[in-house]
Amino acid sequence: MDMDMARDALVQEARELLVAMENALLEIETDGASSEAINAIFRAAHTIKGSAGLFAFDLIVSFTHIVESVLDRVRNGKVQIDDAMLSLLLNCGDYIGALVDAIQNRTENEEPDAARRVVLEKQLGAYLEPPAEAPAAAALTATAKEEGPQQIEGSGGVSSDNWHLSLRFSPDVLRNGLDPLSFLHYLSSMGRIVYLHTLTDNLPPLSQLDAEASYLGFEIDFDSDADRAKIESVFDFVREDSQIRILPPHSKIDEYISLIALMPDPGRLGDILVRGGALTEVELEQALQQQQGQEIGQKPLGAMLIEQQLVPEPVVSAALSRQKQNEEKKSHEQKFIKVEVSKLDQLIDLVGELVIAGAGANLIANRKKDAQFEEATQAISVLVEHIRDAALTLRMVPIGEVFQRFPRVVRDISRELGKEIELIVTGAETELDKSMVEKLADPLMHIVRNSMDHGIEGTEDRVLAGKSATGMLRLNAYHESGSIVIEVSDDGRGLNREKILAKAIERGLVTPDHNLSEKDIFRLIFEAGFSTAEQVTNLSGRGVGMDVVKKNIESLRGEVEILSQAGQGTTTRIRLPLTLAIIDGFQVMVNDEVFVIPLDLVIECVDLAGHDARHNIVKLRGEPLPFVRLRELFELPPIQHNRESLVVVQFGQQRAGLVVDRLLGEFQAVIKPLGSLFSGIKSISGSTILGDGRVALILDVPHLVQQTAQQQHSLTQSAVAGLLTNNKTTER
Amino acid sequence: MPISEQTRDGHLLLQLEGGLTIFQAAELKDELLQALAHAEHRIELNLAAVEEIDSAGVQLLLALKHEAASQQKTVNYSHHSPPVLAAIDLLNLAATLGDPLLIPNAR
Amino acid sequence: MGKTILIVDDSFSMRQTVGIALKGAGYDVVEASDGKDALSKLDGRKYNLIISDVNMPNMDGISFVKAAKLLPNYKFTPIIMLTTEGDETKKQEGKAAGVRAWVLKPFQPPILLDAVSKLVMP
């Protein structure tokens, strides 16, 4: 379970790193190589390799290793980064992405595309040096490893079945955080310490003791099935500046002789060795005699010194000449806590309950007419409002998360189409609800592809039209009155009204006698099955039309519109509510029913009496405003009442009026989704629970505005049947 | 830090608390030297509250013992805490650092 | 008595995976995302071991270790550094700063756990 979490984290992090890598590569392509960008690419490969290594995901480790090696050479200035390499690295990033997908799908042991990998590795290999130094180093370690078995077979071995370890740690080990005690403890996990003698000979008198230096030595007889390399590895970290001598079972007596010779008092060590059973009395005597003989002999000391190197340090410090890497500059990486989305949702749910409970308390306070109580609940309300806002911002992420994939998309598609297209991204920091980010990606991708495919002309056509050879595609986002607006603009040929209309007529979407406004014509693009492309290219002609885009956006309670100027370009504008969970609502009442209108969309409230209101059009300051009576809309029984109020709402550029009985004021509405029973009602976007526990319906203002506007349209042009409206209502 | 209290017959009783590691070793060494100078014959060091010990701590105890002997004084260690016992056991130092009243843990 | 390990790595997934392995072996784990963050966590808490990456943004592992070695409460704390083949220069710097325990990336958790148990008594 835990490891599953870790695996998910690996996948998520790898994806983020790949995005960073891709951005850095694209940055190099446009702005030239910088050490920062190169480091970012290197770090991505490096970190993915490291994390994947933890799980022994060998396919991805071995591949990223090669990429990392090439990048290391780039970093060290041995290889220049050029166009070919950029493309190669982008492709490698994609392949790493495929390997990451495999990890997510639990198929990490299957190569996603072996042929592709071979090609990539071959291309990468061209940037690498042939491995020259490696075999030498390998040979070195190999000889060191062979020592053990040879000695076991040698003649004249002692009778002991145990290993003997003689350890003299350097004075600095403790200061370096290495405690001999813990090494010995670790050793004991590998076998049985038969005998251990702690040597205190070097320990000075207390007054002269450097309490932080290490003085102890150890002679150990050790019973273990582990091989020499394994036992040696216990002392990996201390080997460099300590004397570690390891004698295998049945070592030659010479080995012990040289060991004894190292001691200031050979007799004592001999005693220790006998006590631990490393040597028998006879063997010791033999050894002492031989040692005396050697001392008269020619080169015992030198031989001993060589033997002291018994445990060679295999580390080959190769790249000392390597360029010293610049101190890493402060990167743009920010600190984040990663929180599971489900936890966040839970918090928001709770805040929602808090809002409802708070409203309940407010209600009671109002009824009790207790000033202090009211004041207290008021203070709590303010705090709850702040908590609500803060909780909701936790879910907000910059739209840059969606935008960031487009530089690569635009690069690849423009190459494929043979068009020169420059991408400009603005407003990437604009925030919106996380859940929307995920659902926005596909529609945006489709719109962008559409623009590149059909909007922006080929270079020749552009030059002929007197435009710059390079086409421009712009992604923009900004906040506007409680909504986030996302625009995809191009400076291409614009939409062709006649062509669209002709196509729509051909497809039977409209009849030729319809007199449609430009806006209505553009809207036809979003009708199911509509495609303007004369020839279906492999990019846009995938059977997914703009109707799917529209449906996706509408499912987010948003709307999409198209603005276009022939010959100058097209802008697709998406408008979405900022959040999906809680809204500031405005309560209105019709009969005994309470309805909630999103406050952001309310422009003003006026008394309907005294205004000229006929045929659902009211003249407001001289301007006609279409309106709808909620009583009629929801088929509520008529009641005797003296006055009606008009709530003016706006969505996008359009306004409409809603006629109600009473205005109840502001209220925080926690949006509860409607049950499937209500999903057919188009004027309602959700429900909410009032402070007294009653349910109120939240009005779908975008839909109402559109509907009333279209009614007005059809009224003013009564000859034209409200086809779009009809079309809409029959559509679902 | 040792908490000391004088008992009768010049028998000094000290108690060590907390860590007996390289982090405290230098400071402890000075205090132990002082305590030894104060003691007339014998120091008993209560190790019951030692939470942690490393090689630096072990060699400090060994050096104190040696030092005392050279001054014709005696140091005894008593009430060893489990971490101390584990270290003494691993290093086979029960004979030197063990409690004289206890039979050393035969391995 | 619980043993606490500070793990310093800019990779979230590395910290998490290593963290799970260490917790599974009975250690308490504190995480830091780079040298600077790690330094802020040397606030008097006791660590039985520090595991640090070398290459990190903001403050790399070597600078962090050098800084830690100046703090009385941490100057002798065992340190394992996670390194790569390419880090030879950094490794020399680390050695000069007193780092002796190195684990080569990429590694699997048992390798690291092995190194940890060499340096930390249970």
PDB file of all heavy atoms in Angstrom, chain B residues 10 15 21 24-25 32 36-37 59 63-64 72 74 79-80 86 106:
ATOM      1  N   GLY B  10      34.315   9.806  52.610  1.00  0.00           N
ATOM      2  CA  GLY B  10      34.968  10.288  51.396  1.00  0.00           C
ATOM      3  C   GLY B  10      34.633   9.468  50.182  1.00  0.00           C
ATOM      4  O   GLY B  10      35.374   9.418  49.211  1.00  0.00           O
ATOM      5  N   GLN B  15      26.276  10.669  39.491  1.00  0.00           N
ATOM      6  CA  GLN B  15      25.270  10.091  38.627  1.00  0.00           C
ATOM      7  C   GLN B  15      25.376  10.722  37.241  1.00  0.00           C
ATOM      8  O   GLN B  15      25.441  11.936  37.106  1.00  0.00           O
ATOM      9  CB  GLN B  15      23.877  10.352  39.208  1.00  0.00           C
ATOM     10  CG  GLN B  15      22.835   9.521  38.537  1.00  0.00           C
ATOM     11  CD  GLN B  15      21.475   9.679  39.193  1.00  0.00           C
ATOM     12  OE1 GLN B  15      21.386  10.139  40.334  1.00  0.00           O
ATOM     13  NE2 GLN B  15      20.455   9.302  38.475  1.00  0.00           N
ATOM     14  N   THR B  21      28.055  10.436  24.883  1.00  0.00           N
ATOM     15  CA  THR B  21      28.550  10.292  23.515  1.00  0.00           C
ATOM     16  C   THR B  21      29.540  11.398  23.201  1.00  0.00           C
ATOM     17  O   THR B  21      29.825  12.256  24.040  1.00  0.00           O
ATOM     18  CB  THR B  21      27.401  10.396  22.493  1.00  0.00           C
ATOM     19  OG1 THR B  21      26.935  11.751  22.483  1.00  0.00           O
ATOM     20  CG2 THR B  21      26.240   9.475  22.841  1.00  0.00           C
ATOM     21  N   GLN B  24      28.958  14.954  24.251  1.00  0.00           N
ATOM     22  CA  GLN B  24      29.142  15.428  25.626  1.00  0.00           C
ATOM     23  C   GLN B  24      30.554  15.129  26.138  1.00  0.00           C
ATOM     24  O   GLN B  24      30.925  15.569  27.227  1.00  0.00           O
ATOM     25  CB  GLN B  24      28.135  14.752  26.572  1.00  0.00           C
ATOM     26  CG  GLN B  24      26.669  14.983  26.258  1.00  0.00           C
ATOM     27  CD  GLN B  24      26.121  14.011  25.227  1.00  0.00           C
ATOM     28  OE1 GLN B  24      26.699  12.959  24.985  1.00  0.00           O
ATOM     29  NE2 GLN B  24      25.029  14.387  24.590  1.00  0.00           N
ATOM     30  N   ALA B  25      31.329  14.355  25.362  1.00  0.00           N
ATOM     31  CA  ALA B  25      32.553  13.768  25.894  1.00  0.00           C
ATOM     32  C   ALA B  25      33.542  14.808  26.430  1.00  0.00           C
ATOM     33  O   ALA B  25      34.080  14.651  27.526  1.00  0.00           O
ATOM     34  CB  ALA B  25      33.218  12.897  24.827  1.00  0.00           C
ATOM     35  N   LEU B  32      34.690  14.992  35.041  1.00  0.00           N
ATOM     36  CA  LEU B  32      35.134  13.759  35.689  1.00  0.00           C
ATOM     37  C   LEU B  32      36.520  13.948  36.305  1.00  0.00           C
ATOM     38  O   LEU B  32      36.808  13.444  37.395  1.00  0.00           O
ATOM     39  CB  LEU B  32      35.127  12.600  34.691  1.00  0.00           C
ATOM     40  CG  LEU B  32      33.729  12.126  34.252  1.00  0.00           C
ATOM     41  CD1 LEU B  32      33.822  11.103  33.136  1.00  0.00           C
ATOM     42  CD2 LEU B  32      32.946  11.554  35.446  1.00  0.00           C
ATOM     43  N   LEU B  36      37.322  13.482  40.194  1.00  0.00           N
ATOM     44  CA  LEU B  36      38.374  12.570  40.650  1.00  0.00           C
ATOM     45  C   LEU B  36      39.323  13.288  41.614  1.00  0.00           C
ATOM     46  O   LEU B  36      39.747  12.730  42.631  1.00  0.00           O
ATOM     47  CB  LEU B  36      39.147  12.045  39.426  1.00  0.00           C
ATOM     48  CG  LEU B  36      40.096  10.881  39.672  1.00  0.00           C
ATOM     49  CD1 LEU B  36      39.335   9.667  40.194  1.00  0.00           C
ATOM     50  CD2 LEU B  36      40.856  10.518  38.402  1.00  0.00           C
ATOM     51  N   ALA B  37      39.591  14.540  41.304  1.00  0.00           N
ATOM     52  CA  ALA B  37      40.466  15.309  42.188  1.00  0.00           C
ATOM     53  C   ALA B  37      39.822  15.506  43.558  1.00  0.00           C
ATOM     54  O   ALA B  37      40.493  15.514  44.581  1.00  0.00           O
ATOM     55  CB  ALA B  37      40.783  16.663  41.543  1.00  0.00           C
ATOM     56  N   GLN B  59      35.370   4.913  25.858  1.00  0.00           N
ATOM     57  CA  GLN B  59      36.785   5.149  26.135  1.00  0.00           C
ATOM     58  C   GLN B  59      36.977   6.178  27.246  1.00  0.00           C
ATOM     59  O   GLN B  59      37.985   6.165  27.952  1.00  0.00           O
ATOM     60  CB  GLN B  59      37.567   5.505  24.863  1.00  0.00           C
ATOM     61  CG  GLN B  59      37.181   6.802  24.206  1.00  0.00           C
ATOM     62  CD  GLN B  59      37.851   6.969  22.840  1.00  0.00           C
ATOM     63  OE1 GLN B  59      38.318   5.994  22.247  1.00  0.00           O
ATOM     64  NE2 GLN B  59      37.923   8.190  22.359  1.00  0.00           N
ATOM     65  N   ALA B  63      39.249   5.459  30.338  1.00  0.00           N
ATOM     66  CA  ALA B  63      40.325   6.376  30.713  1.00  0.00           C
ATOM     67  C   ALA B  63      40.182   6.821  32.168  1.00  0.00           C
ATOM     68  O   ALA B  63      41.176   6.971  32.880  1.00  0.00           O
ATOM     69  CB  ALA B  63      40.330   7.586  29.768  1.00  0.00           C
ATOM     70  N   LEU B  64      38.933   6.998  32.600  1.00  0.00           N
ATOM     71  CA  LEU B  64      38.701   7.397  33.988  1.00  0.00           C
ATOM     72  C   LEU B  64      39.188   6.301  34.939  1.00  0.00           C
ATOM     73  O   LEU B  64      39.829   6.560  35.950  1.00  0.00           O
ATOM     74  CB  LEU B  64      37.214   7.685  34.211  1.00  0.00           C
ATOM     75  CG  LEU B  64      36.797   8.030  35.644  1.00  0.00           C
ATOM     76  CD1 LEU B  64      37.438   9.350  36.088  1.00  0.00           C
ATOM     77  CD2 LEU B  64      35.273   8.137  35.776  1.00  0.00           C
ATOM     78  N   GLN B  72      45.942   5.964  42.619  1.00  0.00           N
ATOM     79  CA  GLN B  72      45.625   5.071  43.732  1.00  0.00           C
ATOM     80  C   GLN B  72      44.205   5.286  44.253  1.00  0.00           C
ATOM     81  O   GLN B  72      43.935   5.266  45.452  1.00  0.00           O
ATOM     82  CB  GLN B  72      46.628   5.241  44.903  1.00  0.00           C
ATOM     83  CG  GLN B  72      47.852   4.363  44.772  1.00  0.00           C
ATOM     84  CD  GLN B  72      48.885   5.031  43.861  1.00  0.00           C
ATOM     85  OE1 GLN B  72      49.209   6.198  44.040  1.00  0.00           O
ATOM     86  NE2 GLN B  72      49.388   4.275  42.894  1.00  0.00           N
ATOM     87  N   THR B  74      39.859   4.465  43.331  1.00  0.00           N
ATOM     88  CA  THR B  74      39.046   3.442  42.682  1.00  0.00           C
ATOM     89  C   THR B  74      37.810   4.078  42.068  1.00  0.00           C
ATOM     90  O   THR B  74      37.205   4.968  42.668  1.00  0.00           O
ATOM     91  CB  THR B  74      38.564   2.378  43.700  1.00  0.00           C
ATOM     92  OG1 THR B  74      39.657   2.078  44.552  1.00  0.00           O
ATOM     93  CG2 THR B  74      38.056   1.143  42.998  1.00  0.00           C
ATOM     94  N   HIS B  79      24.739   0.226  38.379  1.00  0.00           N
ATOM     95  CA  HIS B  79      23.397   0.418  37.832  1.00  0.00           C
ATOM     96  C   HIS B  79      23.386   0.729  36.348  1.00  0.00           C
ATOM     97  O   HIS B  79      22.686   1.636  35.893  1.00  0.00           O
ATOM     98  CB  HIS B  79      22.650   1.529  38.587  1.00  0.00           C
ATOM     99  CG  HIS B  79      22.567   1.286  40.058  1.00  0.00           C
ATOM    100  ND1 HIS B  79      23.522   1.765  40.930  1.00  0.00           N
ATOM    101  CD2 HIS B  79      21.683   0.602  40.802  1.00  0.00           C
ATOM    102  CE1 HIS B  79      23.227   1.397  42.166  1.00  0.00           C
ATOM    103  NE2 HIS B  79      22.104   0.663  42.113  1.00  0.00           N
ATOM    104  N   HIS B  80      24.190  -0.017  35.600  1.00  0.00           N
ATOM    105  CA  HIS B  80      24.292   0.234  34.147  1.00  0.00           C
ATOM    106  C   HIS B  80      22.921   0.210  33.487  1.00  0.00           C
ATOM    107  O   HIS B  80      22.152  -0.722  33.668  1.00  0.00           O
ATOM    108  CB  HIS B  80      25.166  -0.832  33.490  1.00  0.00           C
ATOM    109  CG  HIS B  80      26.511  -0.969  34.118  1.00  0.00           C
ATOM    110  ND1 HIS B  80      26.700  -1.409  35.406  1.00  0.00           N
ATOM    111  CD2 HIS B  80      27.737  -0.720  33.635  1.00  0.00           C
ATOM    112  CE1 HIS B  80      27.987  -1.428  35.684  1.00  0.00           C
ATOM    113  NE2 HIS B  80      28.640  -1.011  34.620  1.00  0.00           N
ATOM    114  N   ALA B  86      24.703  -3.029  26.782  1.00  0.00           N
ATOM    115  CA  ALA B  86      24.844  -3.552  25.421  1.00  0.00           C
ATOM    116  C   ALA B  86      26.235  -3.245  24.874  1.00  0.00           C
ATOM    117  O   ALA B  86      26.879  -4.096  24.261  1.00  0.00           O
ATOM    118  CB  ALA B  86      23.772  -2.954  24.517  1.00  0.00           C
ATOM    119  N   ALA B 106      28.489 -13.703  31.335  1.00  0.00           N
ATOM    120  CA  ALA B 106      29.366 -14.611  30.591  1.00  0.00           C
ATOM    121  C   ALA B 106      28.814 -14.797  29.188  1.00  0.00           C
ATOM    122  O   ALA B 106      27.640 -15.033  29.002  1.00  0.00           O
ATOM    123  CB  ALA B 106      29.450 -15.940  31.312  1.00  0.00           C
TER     124      ALA B 106
END
